[in-house]
Amino acid sequence: MTSKSAFIKARIFGEPFHVVTFDKSQHEYYAKLSDFHAQFRMVGNNYNQTLKELKCHFSERRAMALVCKLEKYMMQLVQIMHKVIEQTDKYKNTVK
């Protein structure tokens, strides 16, 4: 409504209205989830840049050893992301 008087007038003449509820905890959860997703995307971007630099500045053997270490860390990150997805699914089911 544009003003309180318009709201009151609409109630007097029996116009229907909708009540909008706002769940602050749900909003905070999705804000943090969006922030986490943005950080996850930044890690992916940094991963690509790291691979390019390894290829340019190290021998093939040394670069492969470092890539193996990097892949282990990325697998841990993927596992964390799966846990986040599971928790989000649980949260969606409890909210409904």
Side-chain angles (χ1 to χ4, degrees):
M1 286 289 173
T2 58
S3 66
K4 288 181 183 179
S5 60
F7 176 77
I8 293 169
K9 186 172 74 173
R11 297 301 71 74
I12 290 172
F13 292 112
E15 292 180 19
F17 68 98
H18 300 283
V19 177
V20 178
T21 60
F22 181 75
D23 186 3
K24 189 175 180 179
S25 65
Q26 186 177 10
H27 177 71
E28 289 175 1
Y29 180 79
Y30 284 112
K32 289 181 181 181
L33 190 62
S34 296
D35 183 48
F36 180 74
H37 184 263
Q39 290 178 9
F40 191 76
R41 288 178 53 99
M42 286 190 296
V43 167
N45 187 25
N46 290 342
Y47 179 81
N48 291 337
Q49 291 175 357
T50 302
L51 290 179
K52 287 178 188 176
E53 291 299 318
L54 286 175
K55 187 177 178 181
C56 292
H57 297 289
F58 291 99
S59 67
E60 186 174 337
R61 185 174 179 171
R62 178 70 177 146
M64 288 302 293
L66 293 172
V67 167
C68 287
K69 279 186 174 180
L70 187 59
E71 284 180 351
K72 288 179 186 177
Y73 291 123
M74 288 303 292
M75 290 305 296
Q76 290 175 354
L77 190 59
V78 168
Q79 289 173 349
I80 291 170
M81 192 62 184
H82 284 297
K83 288 179 183 177
V84 168
I85 291 169
E86 288 174 10
Q87 292 298 320
T88 301
D89 290 339
K90 286 180 185 178
Y91 182 76
K92 283 180 183 178
N93 291 334
T94 60
V95 171
K96 292 180 182 179

